[in-house]
Amino acid sequence: FIQTYLAQAHGVDLDAQLSPSERAQALALRMLIEEHLYWVLAYSRWVDNPTYTRGAFLAALPALIRPVVFRIVQKQVKSGLHGQGMGRHDRADIYALGERALAALADWLGDKPFFMGAQATNVDTTAFGMLETLLASKLRTPLSEAAQQQPQLVAYHQRMRSLLPGLHASA
């Protein structure tokens, strides 16, 4: 929605140079990240690493209400995971699905500077956001370790970071 708004309201369309076929490919990549990897990430934080997540995301709340708020949010995340389907798998299978998605992204990227070729497109903003979360976070999970094992994704992440000075480590 943000990308559509920027294109319509301000004429900022990072996908302007893409053909209809390339736009479809970019959308498929974005959906892999937003609708698949996102849920593996949510599991890795809210189910598999609750202590870290509580500290990282709720530290600004008063200590007295932090556990209550955490339980409410965690319950909502678990319900979302179950409804989406990811939460119906066991831990090993969830991370295996994440590893496969990261490997597919690495294979698609190959030796290109950006996911769709020589210029950054909207899919790069989505991919960078996910990789920043996985590779720059202090939290180490099987998903972040799988991302670290993909040299194309690590190099891409570093390349994107160099284009965006002033970034801080993600939670």
Side-chain angles (χ1 to χ4, degrees), residues 50-69:
T51 303
Y52 175 87
T53 301
R54 183 174 40 245
F57 292 103
L58 304 179
L61 295 177
L64 187 61
I65 66 167
R66 200 174 303 144
V68 175
V69 171

Side-chain angles (χ1 to χ4, degrees), residues 12 15 24 32 37 48-49 58 64 73 83 92 96 99 103 113 115 130 145 152 154 162 166 169:
V12 177
D15 292 344
L32 175 65
L37 271 175
D48 208 24
N49 292 283
L58 304 179
L64 187 61
V73 174
E99 285 182 37
F115 275 91
M130 177 59 71
E145 296 300 326
Q152 299 96 322
V154 172
S162 72

Side-chain angles (χ1 to χ4, degrees), residues 6-76:
L6 289 173
Q8 292 173 349
H10 301 286
V12 177
D13 183 3
L14 295 178
D15 292 344
Q17 79 277 9
L18 299 180
S19 70
S21 175
E22 290 169 327
R23 282 179 182 261
Q25 293 166 9
L27 177 62
L29 290 170
R30 283 183 38 220
M31 293 299 104
L32 175 65
I33 297 164
E34 293 175 347
E35 302 297 333
H36 184 74
L37 271 175
Y38 165 82
W39 290 105
V40 181
L41 175 67
Y43 172 86
S44 75
R45 287 183 165 180
W46 292 92
V47 177
D48 208 24
N49 292 283
T51 303
Y52 175 87
T53 301
R54 183 174 40 245
F57 292 103
L58 304 179
L61 295 177
L64 187 61
I65 66 167
R66 200 174 303 144
V68 175
V69 171
F70 178 79
R71 281 192 297 276
I72 291 168
V73 174
Q74 187 186 45
K75 183 178 179 182
Q76 291 173 339

